[in-house]
Amino acid sequence: MQKKQYLCARKQIYHTMSVTILFKLCGSLALLIYGMKMMSEALQKMTGPQLRHVLAKMTTNRFTGMLTGMTVTAAVQSSTATTVMTVSFVNAGLLTLAQAISVIMGANIGTTLTAWIMSAGFSFNITDFVYPAFVLAILLIYLKKHRIVGDFIFGIAFLFLGLGTLRQTGMDMHLGENQAVLAFFASFDPQAFSTTLLFLLLGGILTMCVQSSAAVMAITMILCSSGALPIYQGIALVMGENIGTTVTSNLAALGASTQARRAAFAHMFFNLFGVFWILLIFHSFIDVVCELVGYDVTMTPETAGQAAFLANASKLSFVLAAFHTCFNLANTFILIWFIPQIERIVCFVIRPSQSVEEADEPIRLRYIQGGLMKTPEISVLQAQKEIVHFADRMQRMFNITRGLLDESDTEKFNSIFSRVEKYEEISDNMEMEIAQYLDRVSDAHLSDETKAKIRAMLREISELESIGDACYNIARTLNRRHNDKEDFTPEQYANIRRMMQITDGALTQMNAALKGRREDFTLAQTQQIEQDINTLRNQLKEQNITDVNNHLYTYAIGTIYMDLIGECEKLGDYVVNVMEARLMTNM
């Protein structure tokens, strides 16, 4: 009876311990993922604007592009952020697809730094050092001036706390001494090609399920460093993680632009090609990496003893990190010479969607598409590109409206007027969609600088929409004149054209400022144009009163005439407001 109670109690204790270990495992993985995310976002807040400019300028050839992608990814600890920036510049015409492919290759090398950070966390108990980091981080956060640095230290501390807890949990599980676990992995022939493919597929599926290659890498390091998982199967899991993370980005890019889908597919092609040639020399390549790290592939518990075997297995986290780096370096060295060919393959597989007339797409945005944006700091860049596109459309709308002035054919006039009405619908929809996007971005944790940029950008789109309203009002006024029997005098036509020409110059300068950097522009330039518009408006207003009194034309046509001049003057005011908002940002 006592023996039965003892067995029941032992079983209950074992069950409780298993549940506790499971929760510790899941919780430490959550800490790890959260720490990585927090650290990456803090780094982007600190370096995002500078890295955007570096990425835009330091991609003159394939090698500088590769080095730039590697540096940016290592700096922000997010290959997704680098890919997002790269796609943005391709869409904006700042980078070619070939340059983008070289940057993505560099991003694959830069992201291997994460594996080295994790392997360092597995090599010794680092949890004792994270608590002072938490204290320092909270002090910096309360000192608002250094809040972002505090967030970064918090992320690092959470990352290493998660790694330390994972390491201790792995030791508590005694996987290297668990005969059932050892027997399970021993049932797979490490020399068999089918085993490699099975674990490669498993790594890809796990990465897609948990949406984090870092988490799967951590699990792989636990299994390998405990001696439970042989190195060949562990590296097959790492290769699967590389493919799994590219599948995720391709799925996210399905609703994005053609260039975004091409960039995502280039990333997948890079990793698929690497896996293909690695499989041809799989064991030989791994043996070389193991020799570099000093890991003995042939050592077993039976030949060297359990203690020596576990000491040897503890090096496996470094083997995994070394393989990850060597794999991406070798793959980049092979493929960087064939970027034009890769570009042709990518363009052949990802065909551009059927072009649709812009005016028939009143609500379609060009840069803010799909679910690719996972980094709030970098998402602001996408919104800025969309605002530039918005401004281009408004100037195009103004020039279409100017065409109504000289059109006398009723059918053509009505066609142009209908097109202006379509552009008015476009401006309303673009303002709402960009504002909603910025609202979603602002929900994330952002730096004070980026929050100020978002406020300025919201003002920009509001003023751009007002420019669209002014253009529509000009078109409606010209429509009134077209429907009346009276017409402008030659002098009135000349004055209206002169006013529209100055207004178009203001729009041109506004678009140049939105596309360029604020250091190259001053508000005084736009204010001078606005002063010219106001001066001309006042002159024409006084002249109009004199001409009406002298019966050179009727009061009715004079009113329409001054309405056009007044709307151009209002449009100039909106341009000044856009410039004021723009010069508050540095993007």
Side-chain angles (χ1 to χ4, degrees), residues 402-420:
R402 289 173 68 183
L404 291 171
L405 181 64
D406 299 311
E407 187 55 66
S408 57
D409 183 80
T410 300
E411 185 177 346
K412 291 182 179 179
F413 185 97
N414 290 336
S415 175
I416 296 172
F417 184 76
S418 176
R419 195 175 177 196
V420 172

PDB file of all heavy atoms in Angstrom, residues 402-420:
ATOM      1  N   ARG A 402      -5.804  73.369 -65.681  1.00  0.00           N
ATOM      2  CA  ARG A 402      -5.385  74.488 -66.537  1.00  0.00           C
ATOM      3  C   ARG A 402      -5.833  74.273 -67.983  1.00  0.00           C
ATOM      4  O   ARG A 402      -6.097  75.238 -68.714  1.00  0.00           O
ATOM      5  CB  ARG A 402      -3.872  74.647 -66.488  1.00  0.00           C
ATOM      6  CG  ARG A 402      -3.343  75.182 -65.180  1.00  0.00           C
ATOM      7  CD  ARG A 402      -1.817  75.154 -65.131  1.00  0.00           C
ATOM      8  NE  ARG A 402      -1.214  76.092 -66.071  1.00  0.00           N
ATOM      9  CZ  ARG A 402       0.097  76.215 -66.267  1.00  0.00           C
ATOM     10  NH1 ARG A 402       0.939  75.433 -65.584  1.00  0.00           N
ATOM     11  NH2 ARG A 402       0.570  77.085 -67.130  1.00  0.00           N
ATOM     12  N   GLY A 403      -5.932  72.984 -68.387  1.00  0.00           N
ATOM     13  CA  GLY A 403      -6.353  72.693 -69.753  1.00  0.00           C
ATOM     14  C   GLY A 403      -7.771  73.116 -70.047  1.00  0.00           C
ATOM     15  O   GLY A 403      -8.141  73.318 -71.221  1.00  0.00           O
ATOM     16  N   LEU A 404      -8.591  73.276 -69.005  1.00  0.00           N
ATOM     17  CA  LEU A 404      -9.980  73.709 -69.206  1.00  0.00           C
ATOM     18  C   LEU A 404     -10.061  75.156 -69.683  1.00  0.00           C
ATOM     19  O   LEU A 404     -11.041  75.553 -70.326  1.00  0.00           O
ATOM     20  CB  LEU A 404     -10.770  73.564 -67.900  1.00  0.00           C
ATOM     21  CG  LEU A 404     -11.044  72.139 -67.411  1.00  0.00           C
ATOM     22  CD1 LEU A 404     -11.643  72.178 -66.005  1.00  0.00           C
ATOM     23  CD2 LEU A 404     -11.994  71.408 -68.352  1.00  0.00           C
ATOM     24  N   LEU A 405      -9.039  75.967 -69.346  1.00  0.00           N
ATOM     25  CA  LEU A 405      -9.090  77.389 -69.657  1.00  0.00           C
ATOM     26  C   LEU A 405      -9.169  77.645 -71.153  1.00  0.00           C
ATOM     27  O   LEU A 405      -9.906  78.534 -71.598  1.00  0.00           O
ATOM     28  CB  LEU A 405      -7.856  78.082 -69.064  1.00  0.00           C
ATOM     29  CG  LEU A 405      -7.752  79.592 -69.274  1.00  0.00           C
ATOM     30  CD1 LEU A 405      -8.904  80.310 -68.564  1.00  0.00           C
ATOM     31  CD2 LEU A 405      -6.407  80.114 -68.757  1.00  0.00           C
ATOM     32  N   ASP A 406      -8.441  76.864 -71.939  1.00  0.00           N
ATOM     33  CA  ASP A 406      -8.350  77.110 -73.381  1.00  0.00           C
ATOM     34  C   ASP A 406      -9.183  76.133 -74.205  1.00  0.00           C
ATOM     35  O   ASP A 406      -9.084  76.140 -75.434  1.00  0.00           O
ATOM     36  CB  ASP A 406      -6.890  77.032 -73.829  1.00  0.00           C
ATOM     37  CG  ASP A 406      -6.027  78.077 -73.154  1.00  0.00           C
ATOM     38  OD1 ASP A 406      -6.425  79.254 -73.139  1.00  0.00           O
ATOM     39  OD2 ASP A 406      -4.961  77.715 -72.606  1.00  0.00           O
ATOM     40  N   GLU A 407      -9.986  75.299 -73.536  1.00  0.00           N
ATOM     41  CA  GLU A 407     -10.781  74.305 -74.280  1.00  0.00           C
ATOM     42  C   GLU A 407     -12.169  74.878 -74.577  1.00  0.00           C
ATOM     43  O   GLU A 407     -12.927  75.212 -73.658  1.00  0.00           O
ATOM     44  CB  GLU A 407     -10.899  73.016 -73.463  1.00  0.00           C
ATOM     45  CG  GLU A 407     -11.559  71.879 -74.222  1.00  0.00           C
ATOM     46  CD  GLU A 407     -10.858  71.582 -75.541  1.00  0.00           C
ATOM     47  OE1 GLU A 407      -9.687  71.138 -75.511  1.00  0.00           O
ATOM     48  OE2 GLU A 407     -11.504  71.797 -76.597  1.00  0.00           O
ATOM     49  N   SER A 408     -12.500  74.965 -75.864  1.00  0.00           N
ATOM     50  CA  SER A 408     -13.809  75.507 -76.264  1.00  0.00           C
ATOM     51  C   SER A 408     -14.774  74.420 -76.710  1.00  0.00           C
ATOM     52  O   SER A 408     -15.995  74.624 -76.665  1.00  0.00           O
ATOM     53  CB  SER A 408     -13.633  76.521 -77.399  1.00  0.00           C
ATOM     54  OG  SER A 408     -12.967  75.914 -78.503  1.00  0.00           O
ATOM     55  N   ASP A 409     -14.247  73.264 -77.122  1.00  0.00           N
ATOM     56  CA  ASP A 409     -15.110  72.170 -77.563  1.00  0.00           C
ATOM     57  C   ASP A 409     -15.825  71.563 -76.347  1.00  0.00           C
ATOM     58  O   ASP A 409     -15.181  71.146 -75.379  1.00  0.00           O
ATOM     59  CB  ASP A 409     -14.280  71.102 -78.273  1.00  0.00           C
ATOM     60  CG  ASP A 409     -15.146  69.981 -78.815  1.00  0.00           C
ATOM     61  OD1 ASP A 409     -15.742  70.148 -79.880  1.00  0.00           O
ATOM     62  OD2 ASP A 409     -15.222  68.929 -78.124  1.00  0.00           O
ATOM     63  N   THR A 410     -17.136  71.525 -76.392  1.00  0.00           N
ATOM     64  CA  THR A 410     -17.937  71.096 -75.236  1.00  0.00           C
ATOM     65  C   THR A 410     -17.648  69.652 -74.855  1.00  0.00           C
ATOM     66  O   THR A 410     -17.501  69.326 -73.665  1.00  0.00           O
ATOM     67  CB  THR A 410     -19.430  71.260 -75.529  1.00  0.00           C
ATOM     68  OG1 THR A 410     -19.709  72.643 -75.803  1.00  0.00           O
ATOM     69  CG2 THR A 410     -20.281  70.805 -74.341  1.00  0.00           C
ATOM     70  N   GLU A 411     -17.531  68.784 -75.828  1.00  0.00           N
ATOM     71  CA  GLU A 411     -17.296  67.368 -75.532  1.00  0.00           C
ATOM     72  C   GLU A 411     -15.938  67.168 -74.853  1.00  0.00           C
ATOM     73  O   GLU A 411     -15.832  66.452 -73.846  1.00  0.00           O
ATOM     74  CB  GLU A 411     -17.379  66.552 -76.822  1.00  0.00           C
ATOM     75  CG  GLU A 411     -17.266  65.044 -76.584  1.00  0.00           C
ATOM     76  CD  GLU A 411     -17.434  64.249 -77.869  1.00  0.00           C
ATOM     77  OE1 GLU A 411     -17.897  64.816 -78.880  1.00  0.00           O
ATOM     78  OE2 GLU A 411     -17.101  63.041 -77.866  1.00  0.00           O
ATOM     79  N   LYS A 412     -14.905  67.806 -75.389  1.00  0.00           N
ATOM     80  CA  LYS A 412     -13.573  67.679 -74.791  1.00  0.00           C
ATOM     81  C   LYS A 412     -13.530  68.343 -73.416  1.00  0.00           C
ATOM     82  O   LYS A 412     -12.893  67.851 -72.486  1.00  0.00           O
ATOM     83  CB  LYS A 412     -12.524  68.291 -75.713  1.00  0.00           C
ATOM     84  CG  LYS A 412     -12.295  67.510 -76.992  1.00  0.00           C
ATOM     85  CD  LYS A 412     -11.208  68.158 -77.846  1.00  0.00           C
ATOM     86  CE  LYS A 412     -10.960  67.356 -79.113  1.00  0.00           C
ATOM     87  NZ  LYS A 412      -9.926  67.995 -79.973  1.00  0.00           N
ATOM     88  N   PHE A 413     -14.241  69.496 -73.304  1.00  0.00           N
ATOM     89  CA  PHE A 413     -14.278  70.191 -72.021  1.00  0.00           C
ATOM     90  C   PHE A 413     -14.895  69.292 -70.949  1.00  0.00           C
ATOM     91  O   PHE A 413     -14.365  69.176 -69.835  1.00  0.00           O
ATOM     92  CB  PHE A 413     -15.070  71.493 -72.160  1.00  0.00           C
ATOM     93  CG  PHE A 413     -15.064  72.341 -70.922  1.00  0.00           C
ATOM     94  CD1 PHE A 413     -14.163  73.388 -70.788  1.00  0.00           C
ATOM     95  CD2 PHE A 413     -15.966  72.105 -69.881  1.00  0.00           C
ATOM     96  CE1 PHE A 413     -14.143  74.165 -69.639  1.00  0.00           C
ATOM     97  CE2 PHE A 413     -15.946  72.875 -68.733  1.00  0.00           C
ATOM     98  CZ  PHE A 413     -15.032  73.913 -68.612  1.00  0.00           C
ATOM     99  N   ASN A 414     -16.005  68.664 -71.296  1.00  0.00           N
ATOM    100  CA  ASN A 414     -16.686  67.797 -70.323  1.00  0.00           C
ATOM    101  C   ASN A 414     -15.827  66.592 -69.950  1.00  0.00           C
ATOM    102  O   ASN A 414     -15.848  66.131 -68.807  1.00  0.00           O
ATOM    103  CB  ASN A 414     -18.030  67.330 -70.889  1.00  0.00           C
ATOM    104  CG  ASN A 414     -19.032  68.460 -70.985  1.00  0.00           C
ATOM    105  OD1 ASN A 414     -18.923  69.456 -70.267  1.00  0.00           O
ATOM    106  ND2 ASN A 414     -20.005  68.326 -71.881  1.00  0.00           N
ATOM    107  N   SER A 415     -15.060  66.085 -70.916  1.00  0.00           N
ATOM    108  CA  SER A 415     -14.179  64.954 -70.633  1.00  0.00           C
ATOM    109  C   SER A 415     -13.085  65.349 -69.642  1.00  0.00           C
ATOM    110  O   SER A 415     -12.786  64.611 -68.694  1.00  0.00           O
ATOM    111  CB  SER A 415     -13.550  64.454 -71.941  1.00  0.00           C
ATOM    112  OG  SER A 415     -12.620  63.434 -71.676  1.00  0.00           O
ATOM    113  N   ILE A 416     -12.489  66.547 -69.861  1.00  0.00           N
ATOM    114  CA  ILE A 416     -11.452  67.018 -68.944  1.00  0.00           C
ATOM    115  C   ILE A 416     -12.041  67.310 -67.564  1.00  0.00           C
ATOM    116  O   ILE A 416     -11.450  66.962 -66.535  1.00  0.00           O
ATOM    117  CB  ILE A 416     -10.760  68.273 -69.513  1.00  0.00           C
ATOM    118  CG1 ILE A 416     -10.028  67.948 -70.817  1.00  0.00           C
ATOM    119  CG2 ILE A 416      -9.776  68.860 -68.500  1.00  0.00           C
ATOM    120  CD1 ILE A 416      -9.470  69.169 -71.540  1.00  0.00           C
ATOM    121  N   PHE A 417     -13.217  67.917 -67.538  1.00  0.00           N
ATOM    122  CA  PHE A 417     -13.864  68.231 -66.254  1.00  0.00           C
ATOM    123  C   PHE A 417     -14.174  66.959 -65.480  1.00  0.00           C
ATOM    124  O   PHE A 417     -14.003  66.893 -64.248  1.00  0.00           O
ATOM    125  CB  PHE A 417     -15.137  69.039 -66.495  1.00  0.00           C
ATOM    126  CG  PHE A 417     -15.803  69.489 -65.227  1.00  0.00           C
ATOM    127  CD1 PHE A 417     -15.294  70.547 -64.504  1.00  0.00           C
ATOM    128  CD2 PHE A 417     -16.940  68.839 -64.752  1.00  0.00           C
ATOM    129  CE1 PHE A 417     -15.896  70.960 -63.322  1.00  0.00           C
ATOM    130  CE2 PHE A 417     -17.548  69.244 -63.579  1.00  0.00           C
ATOM    131  CZ  PHE A 417     -17.019  70.309 -62.854  1.00  0.00           C
ATOM    132  N   SER A 418     -14.607  65.914 -66.197  1.00  0.00           N
ATOM    133  CA  SER A 418     -14.881  64.629 -65.549  1.00  0.00           C
ATOM    134  C   SER A 418     -13.603  64.033 -64.958  1.00  0.00           C
ATOM    135  O   SER A 418     -13.619  63.430 -63.880  1.00  0.00           O
ATOM    136  CB  SER A 418     -15.497  63.662 -66.567  1.00  0.00           C
ATOM    137  OG  SER A 418     -15.688  62.388 -65.998  1.00  0.00           O
ATOM    138  N   ARG A 419     -12.502  64.233 -65.650  1.00  0.00           N
ATOM    139  CA  ARG A 419     -11.222  63.728 -65.155  1.00  0.00           C
ATOM    140  C   ARG A 419     -10.796  64.474 -63.880  1.00  0.00           C
ATOM    141  O   ARG A 419     -10.255  63.882 -62.947  1.00  0.00           O
ATOM    142  CB  ARG A 419     -10.160  63.875 -66.236  1.00  0.00           C
ATOM    143  CG  ARG A 419      -8.908  63.064 -65.983  1.00  0.00           C
ATOM    144  CD  ARG A 419      -7.957  63.171 -67.141  1.00  0.00           C
ATOM    145  NE  ARG A 419      -6.722  62.449 -66.848  1.00  0.00           N
ATOM    146  CZ  ARG A 419      -5.593  62.611 -67.518  1.00  0.00           C
ATOM    147  NH1 ARG A 419      -5.544  63.470 -68.528  1.00  0.00           N
ATOM    148  NH2 ARG A 419      -4.516  61.931 -67.196  1.00  0.00           N
ATOM    149  N   VAL A 420     -11.048  65.780 -63.857  1.00  0.00           N
ATOM    150  CA  VAL A 420     -10.736  66.555 -62.652  1.00  0.00           C
ATOM    151  C   VAL A 420     -11.581  66.067 -61.479  1.00  0.00           C
ATOM    152  O   VAL A 420     -11.091  65.956 -60.349  1.00  0.00           O
ATOM    153  CB  VAL A 420     -10.969  68.062 -62.906  1.00  0.00           C
ATOM    154  CG1 VAL A 420     -10.831  68.861 -61.597  1.00  0.00           C
ATOM    155  CG2 VAL A 420      -9.995  68.587 -63.946  1.00  0.00           C
TER     156      VAL A 420
END
